[in-house]
Amino acid sequence: MPLKTENNFHQPGKRFFRAYRPGDDFYEALIETHRDLSDEQSARVNARLVLLLCNQVGDLGLLREAMAIARKGVVAEDDDAT
Amino acid sequence: MFLTYDNPVYDYARSPDQSAAEPVHHPLIVVGAGPVGMAAAIDAAQRGLQVLLLDDDNTVSVGSRAVCYSKRCLEIMDRLGCAEPMIEQGVTWNVGKVFFRDELVNQFDLLPEAGHKIPAFINLQQYYLEEYMVRRMDDLDNLEVRWRNRVVEIDNAPERVMLGIDTPDGRYRLSCDWLIVADGANSPIREQLGLESRGQWFQDRFLIADVVMKAGFPPERWFSFDPSYHRGQSTLLHRQSDDVWRLDFQLGWDADPEEEKKPERVIPRVRAMLGEETEFELEWCSVYTFRCRRMERFRYGRALFVGDAAHQVSPFGARGANSGVQDSDNLIWKLALVMQGRAPQRLLDSYSDERVQAAEENILNSTRSTDFITPKSTMSRIFRDSVLELCRDFPFARQLVNSGRLSDTAFLIDSELNTAEDPDFCGDMVPGAVMLDAPIEGPDGERWLLDTAGGPFVLYCYLGESGGLSQQTRAALHALAGASIPVQSFVVVAAGAAAEEHATVIDREGLFAARYDARPGSCYLVRPDQHLCARWRSFDAHSVAAAVARATCNG
């Protein structure tokens, strides 16, 4: 299975009438998870979240692909800046 | 003084009511001649009610203010006889673009399919809209407007409302059975009644600058996150009519609103955005903060709150005036039935229930947009910028970019006015949905489906290509038309089908069938505000009558 690049947010049993809605529900929940946290606490929450989700995905090929994409953007930008 | 527009002045005229010994009684008074109050007054007059509209001023909006009018708002305005000049004078647009650090990261088309009478959006300065509405009000004999009439006292008693009104000739009093409160976000009437609109302030400031320029930019909504000319903040560029352009600059919470309004501060910002070579003149500017809030209910006894008086949102998404006009659309047919003694007052509580739900949705969407545009923490900003960075290569991220979810209609699927549908229907035309338009040919030469609804309740019976309305059904439809709450009915046939002996709608391009998931036999009951309230796979007169009773709280 290739890495999904199209919008994949959904909620079983719930009907959405607007295409943006499930993604917005997700994003709000994500930001809410970090409410009132210090930067360090937020970083830890992110780490734990990544670990939980990686286990959910499970497929190491997929995970390596996602990890490479995530790192590449950040490193390339650092290079541009110097 | 504006470069492109002179505000009309509407004269105060002394009313005989002001000399009466006792307060004169009016069945219905609307307070506030903004877009929402005028929509309510026009709709009520069109539905045969005697209406008095009071406004504390004597002109239309000063400055452009609300600019984007949505398809649904325009559909309502069309029913009120105001949409044509709006569309003619306004700038029609469908495309929005989002930039991040000067690079295009997302583009959306708000009306990707054809077959609708009304465009997705137009941009038009609020004063034009109000001017057209004032003109429309002049045509209606049962609608009276009193300018420079400021309501300063109110007693919302169980049996009637008493008002004290200040005019250039002093104070006088009136009473009414029903009061529609459309006096804006700071609603003096709401204050006087001791009622509150509760919610959240946002810690950010925005500068609006309307500039006049001849520019080659297309009529699109351009939203920029972190552009090189306004680092760390966002901007918006949008065209209005008369070569006026709306520019919006996020300033941050620490900005000094008085300083930022000065032309010597504004002009360099505009120049940085538009480029050195673009010539422009400053028309209007304003620095604003905003809040999202609403009243707990929109009906308090005989006082019915609509528009900003009832609920307020941030401007991202154009959900202010557009939702206010939809409040009026939802309220007036119900109020007409109640005032005519054909429905119980309880029906007005459904106005509150349905529009509170819509307001909740508007507040939710506009709060989310605000949170995306103004991240409240370092981590929120990192997430926001990461979404924007991923947009170029990953479509899922584009969907998450939130520069304003533009005004759309609420699906009132939980409304108690709906009747449960047959389970095998597909598509979005569920009970509680606003009708989708479709190109048709109607019995009176109508070209669009929406032109056949909006007066009484309407039933559409789809026959497809087979045709053949039975005599029994025809008699039942006839009986429904004569009921105490009349139901007008149309048979809908495919293009080329044989004519029926009943008011017939021809589904010119098959889009009615497609959009309504229609099969021969399918029937759809539509409320006077063009919301579906029931649908069935086959016609049954008792079911229709029961659904009408349910939708009017007569059940």
Side-chain angles (χ1 to χ4, degrees):
Chain A
M1 192 176 67
L3 188 68
K4 288 189 177 110
T5 59
E6 297 293 330
N7 194 306
N8 184 41
F9 297 106
H10 56 276
Q11 187 176 332
K14 179 158 179 181
R15 172 150 193 203
F16 294 96
F17 289 96
R18 307 288 173 200
Y20 61 77
R21 190 58 193 266
D24 282 6
D25 285 0
F26 151 73
Y27 195 79
E28 183 184 82
L30 177 65
I31 299 304
E32 185 60 23
T33 307
H34 290 270
R35 187 164 52 92
D36 299 333
L37 300 186
S38 68
D39 291 350
E40 201 225 318
Q41 286 170 322
S42 269
R44 285 172 57 206
V45 166
N46 277 341
R48 294 157 65 115
L49 191 59
V50 165
L51 294 171
L52 288 164
L53 295 177
C54 286
N55 180 58
Q56 178 70 30
V57 172
D59 179 335
L60 289 183
L62 218 58
L63 290 171
R64 287 198 177 98
E65 192 186 342
M67 288 170 192
I69 290 166
R71 181 178 167 88
K72 190 173 150 221
V74 172
V75 174
E77 205 162 75
D78 287 347
D79 287 348
D80 286 345
T82 51
Chain B
M1 197 58 204
F2 295 98
L3 300 164
T4 62
Y5 186 79
D6 289 323
N7 274 68
V9 175
Y10 303 117
D11 292 330
Y12 161 79
R14 189 183 167 88
S15 157
D17 288 2
Q18 290 169 250
S19 317
E22 291 295 315
V24 174
H25 186 78
H26 291 259
L28 173 61
I29 294 180
V30 181
V31 180
V36 180
M38 284 195 279
I42 294 169
D43 200 359
Q46 286 191 174
R47 293 193 189 275
L49 303 175
Q50 187 68 40
V51 194
L52 173 62
L53 173 61
L54 306 175
D55 191 75
D56 61 358
D57 204 358
N58 64 349
T59 185
V60 295
S61 164
V62 176
S64 62
R65 295 171 66 186
V67 159
C68 295
Y69 296 96
S70 72
K71 180 168 183 289
R72 182 59 196 154
C73 176
L74 289 165
E75 286 169 351
I76 295 164
M77 288 295 175
D78 196 32
R79 192 169 63 66
L80 302 180
C82 303
E84 219 168 284
M86 289 177 70
I87 295 170
E88 166 104 15
Q89 175 72 28
V91 174
T92 295
W93 65 279
N94 298 318
V95 172
K97 286 181 179 159
V98 180
F99 301 86
F100 176 50
R101 295 176 186 151
D102 304 338
E103 217 181 301
L104 179 66
V105 291
N106 192 24
Q107 177 167 342
F108 54 87
D109 185 343
L110 291 161
L111 195 61
E113 50 167 25
H116 298 261
K117 178 180 182 182
I118 300 291
F121 267 94
I122 67 160
N123 285 358
L124 182 69
Q125 294 89 316
Q126 185 173 331
Y127 41 75
Y128 278 121
L129 163 69
E130 293 186 6
E131 202 184 316
Y132 304 146
M133 296 185 87
V134 172
R135 214 181 291 162
R136 171 67 184 136
M137 292 199 294
D138 286 342
D139 300 338
L140 297 162
D141 293 334
N142 50 339
L143 165 51
E144 183 192 346
V145 188
R146 294 184 192 167
W147 303 103
R148 298 185 69 189
N149 272 240
R150 181 191 298 269
V151 175
V152 291
E153 284 173 0
I154 175 166
D155 175 22
N156 185 15
E159 68 284 3
R160 50 103 192 86
V161 181
M162 292 294 310
L163 298 177
I165 299 154
D166 272 356
T167 73
D169 290 329
R171 188 168 299 184
Y172 73 111
R173 302 181 81 206
L174 291 176
S175 64
C176 61
D177 293 325
W178 297 98
L179 183 75
I180 295 179
V181 185
D183 56 353
N186 297 318
S187 179
I189 292 184
R190 190 183 66 218
E191 297 291 313
Q192 283 166 51
L193 289 174
L195 300 169
E196 271 186 284
S197 183
R198 286 196 194 146
Q200 176 189 8
W201 278 100
F202 290 90
Q203 299 215 322
D204 204 347
R205 296 183 202 279
F206 288 78
L207 165 72
I208 285 181
D210 277 0
V211 303
V212 186
M213 64 173 175
K214 303 265 185 218
F217 307 115
E220 298 172 345
R221 180 185 195 264
W222 286 7
F223 195 99
S224 300
F225 290 99
D226 196 13
S228 56
Y229 55 84
H230 194 53
R231 269 273 113 94
Q233 308 282 14
S234 64
T235 64
L236 178 69
L237 171 75
H238 220 171
R239 186 175 184 175
Q240 307 172 45
S241 72
D242 299 335
D243 293 317
V244 176
W245 295 73
R246 163 68 60 86
L247 276 47
D248 210 314
F249 297 86
Q250 185 182 22
L251 298 176
W253 184 236
D254 296 333
D256 178 341
E258 288 312 311
E259 279 301 304
E260 293 296 345
K261 249 187 288 199
K262 292 180 178 165
E264 62 264 33
R265 295 280 298 164
V266 177
I267 287 170
R269 291 197 191 282
V270 174
R271 184 156 290 136
M273 180 171 182
L274 301 175
E276 287 295 331
E277 65 288 355
T278 306
E279 286 182 32
F280 65 88
E281 284 181 274
L282 207 51
E283 166 103 336
W284 180 66
C285 58
S286 162
V287 173
Y288 65 92
T289 55
F290 49 78
R291 58 204 296 189
C292 288
R293 57 175 180 166
R294 70 166 172 88
M295 298 176 73
E296 194 185 338
R297 302 195 307 274
F298 298 167
R299 177 190 174 205
Y300 288 85
R302 296 183 171 274
L304 300 150
F305 289 82
V306 292
D308 283 354
H311 48 74
Q312 216 183 330
V313 292
S314 79
F316 305 106
R319 288 171 182 266
N322 287 311
S323 72
V325 169
Q326 292 175 71
D327 291 341
S328 158
D329 190 45
N330 186 296
L331 171 63
I332 299 300
W333 68 271
K334 295 174 179 174
L335 185 59
L337 287 178
V338 170
M339 290 177 72
Q340 292 155 356
R342 292 190 288 158
Q345 290 190 15
R346 197 154 51 85
L347 183 58
L348 298 173
D349 292 327
S350 80
Y351 158 68
S352 181
D353 294 345
E354 292 183 342
R355 293 311 296 172
V356 162
Q357 186 211 314
E360 277 292 287
E361 216 170 289
N362 286 322
I363 288 172
L364 178 75
N365 281 309
S366 104
T367 301
R368 287 173 171 182
S369 302
T370 307
D371 287 343
F372 195 88
I373 292 164
T374 308
K376 289 187 180 54
S377 68
T378 309
M379 189 47 69
S380 293
R381 180 170 289 272
I382 291 171
F383 273 124
R384 200 278 304 272
D385 289 349
S386 299
V387 165
L388 290 164
E389 285 163 9
L390 288 173
C391 278
R392 201 182 61 191
D393 296 325
F394 299 94
F396 86 89
R398 289 171 213 156
Q399 186 80 262
L400 294 176
V401 173
N402 191 341
S403 68
R405 300 298 186 201
L406 289 154
S407 179
D408 42 30
T409 59
F411 283 78
L412 306 173
I413 52 173
D414 298 322
S415 172
E416 58 168 3
L417 306 189
N418 296 336
T419 295
E421 59 179 335
D422 288 345
D424 68 333
F425 273 106
C426 297
D428 282 354
M429 288 297 96
V430 297
V434 172
M435 289 176 79
L436 282 174
D437 205 0
I440 53 116
E441 202 178 309
D444 293 317
E446 297 95 338
R447 302 292 289 165
W448 298 97
L449 183 64
L450 286 179
D451 291 339
T452 60
F457 276 82
V458 177
L459 182 75
Y460 296 95
C461 303
Y462 185 77
L463 297 178
E465 289 169 9
S466 57
L469 192 66
S470 75
Q471 200 165 354
Q472 193 192 357
T473 302
R474 196 155 52 231
L477 293 177
H478 188 75
L480 284 168
S484 68
I485 294 177
V487 180
Q488 186 182 12
S489 57
F490 297 98
V491 296
V492 184
V493 300
E500 293 291 329
E501 275 182 64
H502 191 83
T504 300
V505 162
I506 299 167
D507 187 14
R508 279 195 274 145
E509 296 174 23
L511 288 174
F512 178 94
R515 288 177 183 164
Y516 287 75
D517 182 33
R519 290 184 215 147
S522 300
C523 293
Y524 306 83
L525 182 64
V526 174
R527 313 188 325 191
D529 58 6
Q530 298 176 332
H531 284 64
L532 270 84
C533 59
R535 59 178 177 177
W536 302 270
R537 280 301 182 198
S538 61
F539 172 76
D540 174 64
H542 293 294
S543 302
V544 176
V548 171
R550 189 176 175 85
T552 53
C553 293
N554 281 310

